[in-house]
């Protein structure tokens, strides 16, 4: 069972008309709704389950510029700027704090790899720097295991995933947005070749534009519109501990562990070292596009075959809009965490920080991360369906980059000047011969 998420007041019915309809109530959809509503745009957000029910409440809670793909850096710089004022903007607690984030290095070779990424940091005048092992020990007291050094960004931060998107959604609602939960969007109606309405299980909403921020469900939704989105899912496994006094304040990742101190005094613990992939038919359909990423991360990948293969094999790929859709069958995608991954994360963090050896695990959970072949998102208009926009495939980076992505989507929809250059995030990069690939130094 997933973590407890702050509740959000919901509108009981859908409005008959809105300028923009947003499909999906995670950090991207709620951020887009807030920026649109602040502009005075009429917006309705429809979520099949509840706000932040899936990956937006199940991630680590990191908000980082460090070790990003260079194509993402301008957008995440804007996101961190927005995060820093988010509590005041939404008049609520999102949990954002500037805490610093550190990537620990076991060897000189690891440090050399991080040094390569610093070339991109310098271009944007980031405060990211390489620190030696002695400095690491001083910044992270209580360590038993020595490290060669680390990549460290003091200005990076953290927020509370179970609080942030709900707080942003509530603020959007105060600015006039309709927030309709337990309301699956079945699809889009077009007229004269462009978006004319969104059809939900609670009724039709006439609109000029629709934004798909559906996370792991986005490929399925696009398929019913005959829009090819080469997206897959990776299982993220996370646990939270009971309160731990005297633990590290700076968030860090190293070996098989990554952690963040929570506002409740416990820690969120996970790992970048192992990535669980439950094989489904789409893994084979898209295998060629994902081959470069698989080669880059091969040693980290843990493949499984189980009931999800059969579930997705039998799931409808197309459906009529006047009857139930697959989105009404699963309100909240709630996978279990992978015990193999969690046990290794727990052992690894205790090896470095002995204080974690006896701390109790209060809860663990899984979440489905929406990934793209080049590990950067699609934030794009869809040329074949004018008025339709996609914001998905954030590849494990969505929480920290969410506010900036929401602003960018709002600017695209309204025709305003974009805060960053959106070209790297275009959907057409997968069909225009660009041959997009993941950046080898980014994570």
């Amino acid at each position: 069972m997933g973590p407890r998420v702050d509740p959000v007041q919901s509108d009981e019915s859908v409005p008959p008309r809105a300028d923009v309809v947003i499909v999906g109530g995670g950090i991207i959809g709620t951020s887009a709704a807030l920026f649109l509503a602040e502009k005075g745009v009429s917006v309705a957000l429809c979520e099949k389950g509840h706000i932040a029910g899936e990956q937006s409440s199940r991630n680590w809670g990191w908000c980082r510029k460090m070790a990003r793909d260079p194509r993402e850096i301008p957008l995440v710089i804007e996101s961190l700027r927005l995060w820093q004022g988010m509590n005041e903007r939404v008049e609520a607690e999102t949990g954002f704090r500037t805490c610093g984030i550190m990537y620990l290095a076991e060897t000189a070779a690891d440090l050399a790899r991080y040094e390569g990424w610093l070339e991109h940091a310098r271009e944007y005048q980031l405060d990211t720097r390489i620190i030696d092992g002695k400095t690491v020990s001083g910044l992270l007291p209580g360590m038993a295991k020595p490290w060669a050094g680390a990549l460290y960004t003091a200005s990076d931060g953290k927020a509370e995933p179970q609080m942030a998107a709900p707080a942003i959604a509530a603020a959007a609602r105060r600015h006039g947005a309709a927030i309709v939960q337990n309301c699956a969007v079945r699809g889009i109606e077009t007229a004269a070749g462009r978006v004319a309405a969104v059809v939900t299980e609670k009724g039709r909403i006439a609109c000029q534009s629709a934004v798909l921020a559906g996370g792991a469900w986005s490929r399925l939704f696009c398929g019913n519109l005959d829009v090819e989105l080469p997206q897959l899912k990776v299982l993220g496994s996370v646990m939270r501990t009971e309160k731990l006094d005297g633990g590290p304040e700076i968030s860090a990742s190293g070996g098989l562990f990554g952690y963040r101190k929570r506002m409740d005094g416990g820690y969120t613990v996970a790992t970048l070292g192992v990535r669980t992939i439950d094989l489904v038919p789409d893994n084979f359909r898209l295998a060629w596009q994902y081959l470069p990423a698989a080669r880059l991360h091969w040693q980290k990948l843990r493949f499984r075959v189980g009931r999800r293969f059969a579930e997705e094999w039998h799931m409808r790929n197309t459906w009529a809009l006047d009857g139930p859709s697959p989105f009404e069958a699963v309100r909240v995608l709630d996978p279990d965490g992978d015990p193999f991954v969690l046990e290794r994360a727990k052992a690894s963090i205790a090896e470095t920080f002995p204080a974690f050896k006896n701390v109790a695990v209060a809860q663990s959970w899984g979440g489905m991360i929406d990934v793209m072949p080049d590990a950067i998102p699609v934030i794009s208009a869809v040329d074949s369906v004018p008025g339709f926009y996609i914001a998905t495939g954030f590849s494990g980076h969505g929480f920290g980059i969410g506010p900036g992505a929401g602003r960018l989507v709002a600017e695209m929809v309204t025709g305003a000047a974009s805060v960053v250059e959106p070209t790297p995030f275009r959907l057409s990069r997968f069909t225009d011969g660009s041959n997009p690939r993941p950046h080898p130094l980014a994570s």
Side-chain angles (χ1 to χ4, degrees), residues 48 50 52-58 214 216-217 330-334:
K48 65 183 176 60
H50 60 86
E54 297 185 348
Q55 185 58 18
S56 288
S57 66
R58 296 162 185 256
W217 296 93
V330 182
R331 293 292 175 181
V332 176
L333 192 57
D334 186 25

Side-chain angles (χ1 to χ4, degrees), residues 69-71 113 117 120 296-297 437-443:
D69 188 297
R71 294 166 289 186
R113 184 169 60 89
W117 185 85
H120 305 295
L296 187 62
H297 299 294
R437 293 170 179 263
H439 193 280
L441 295 177
S443 59

Side-chain angles (χ1 to χ4, degrees), residues 29-331:
T30 56
S31 295
L34 175 61
F35 284 104
L36 287 166
E38 286 181 343
K39 293 174 180 285
V41 176
S42 169
V43 58
L45 183 152
C46 298
E47 163 56 47
K48 65 183 176 60
H50 60 86
I51 296 297
E54 297 185 348
Q55 185 58 18
S56 288
S57 66
R58 296 162 185 256
N59 61 84
W60 297 21
W62 281 16
C63 302
R64 65 177 170 90
K65 303 178 292 293
M66 185 174 69
R68 294 280 193 177
D69 188 297
R71 294 166 289 186
E72 286 186 331
I73 293 175
L75 187 57
V76 78
I77 288 173
E78 171 63 12
S79 288
L80 264 292
R81 186 190 71 79
L82 293 169
W83 272 119
Q84 288 162 1
M86 192 59 73
N87 286 354
E88 292 75 18
R89 188 178 207 124
V90 302
E91 301 177 1
E93 181 63 78
T94 65
F96 181 81
R97 302 290 188 274
T98 300
C99 62
I101 295 179
M102 193 179 295
Y103 275 13
L104 299 167
E106 295 189 83
T107 67
D110 292 334
L111 281 177
R113 184 169 60 89
Y114 292 148
E115 181 69 43
W117 185 85
L118 278 180
E119 297 175 13
H120 305 295
R122 295 184 187 107
E123 180 181 350
Y124 294 96
Q125 293 81 51
L126 301 184
D127 62 324
T128 307
R129 58 194 175 101
I130 296 286
I131 57 176
D132 60 23
K134 182 178 179 180
T135 305
V136 170
S137 297
L139 291 171
L140 298 178
M143 289 200 310
K145 176 181 176 178
W147 295 84
L151 186 69
Y152 176 47
T153 307
S155 63
D156 278 350
K158 61 183 179 179
E160 293 293 338
Q162 293 90 49
M163 302 169 67
I168 294 169
R173 194 168 185 267
R174 289 196 302 273
H175 281 279
I179 305 293
V180 191
Q181 299 174 89
N182 293 305
C183 179
V185 173
R186 293 173 174 171
I188 290 172
E189 288 183 352
T190 60
R194 63 166 295 116
V195 170
V198 162
V199 178
T200 82
E201 63 178 301
K202 294 185 177 183
R204 181 180 183 272
I205 308 173
C207 62
Q208 299 171 353
S209 303
V211 176
L212 174 62
W217 296 93
S218 297
R219 175 172 166 82
L220 184 63
F221 188 96
C222 285
N224 203 44
L225 284 167
D226 200 26
V227 173
E228 173 61 20
L229 178 70
Q231 182 186 71
L232 291 176
K233 299 182 283 291
V234 174
L235 176 66
S237 300
V238 181
M239 56 187 163
R240 67 175 178 90
T241 74
E242 297 288 3
K243 184 177 180 180
L244 175 62
D245 295 325
E249 297 290 335
I250 296 172
S251 299
S253 176
L256 291 177
F257 70 85
Y259 68 82
R260 170 185 63 88
K261 188 173 183 179
R262 302 165 56 92
M263 289 186 69
D264 60 14
Y267 283 79
T268 293
V269 179
T271 181
L272 280 174
V274 183
R275 304 176 186 186
T276 308
I277 299 175
D278 288 301
L279 291 173
V280 297
D282 275 345
N283 289 100
F284 299 94
R285 296 177 184 128
L286 300 174
W288 182 253
Q289 292 190 64
Y290 279 84
L291 187 58
R295 286 173 172 165
L296 187 62
H297 299 294
W298 185 258
Q299 293 181 330
K300 295 182 178 181
L301 303 181
R302 168 173 154 80
F303 294 98
R304 304 187 305 188
V305 179
R307 68 172 185 268
R308 283 196 56 235
F309 188 97
E311 289 172 355
E312 296 206 12
W313 180 267
H314 293 293
M315 186 176 289
R316 288 178 293 158
N317 293 317
T318 59
W319 55 91
L321 304 188
D322 58 357
S325 68
F327 312 115
E328 288 144 83
V330 182
R331 293 292 175 181

Side-chain angles (χ1 to χ4, degrees), residues 358-422:
N358 297 318
V359 68
V361 175
Q363 188 183 13
S364 64
W365 59 79
M368 299 310 299
I369 301 170
D370 45 319
V371 301
M372 301 304 297
D374 55 359
I376 68 167
V378 171
I379 308 172
S380 176
V382 178
D383 295 338
S384 61
V385 188
F388 181 42
Y389 299 82
I390 297 175
T392 192
F394 285 81
S395 304
H397 310 161
F399 184 73
I401 212 169
R407 177 178 175 178
L408 180 57
V409 169
E411 290 164 346
M412 286 181 171
V413 171
T414 58
S418 296
V419 63
V420 301
E421 171 55 50

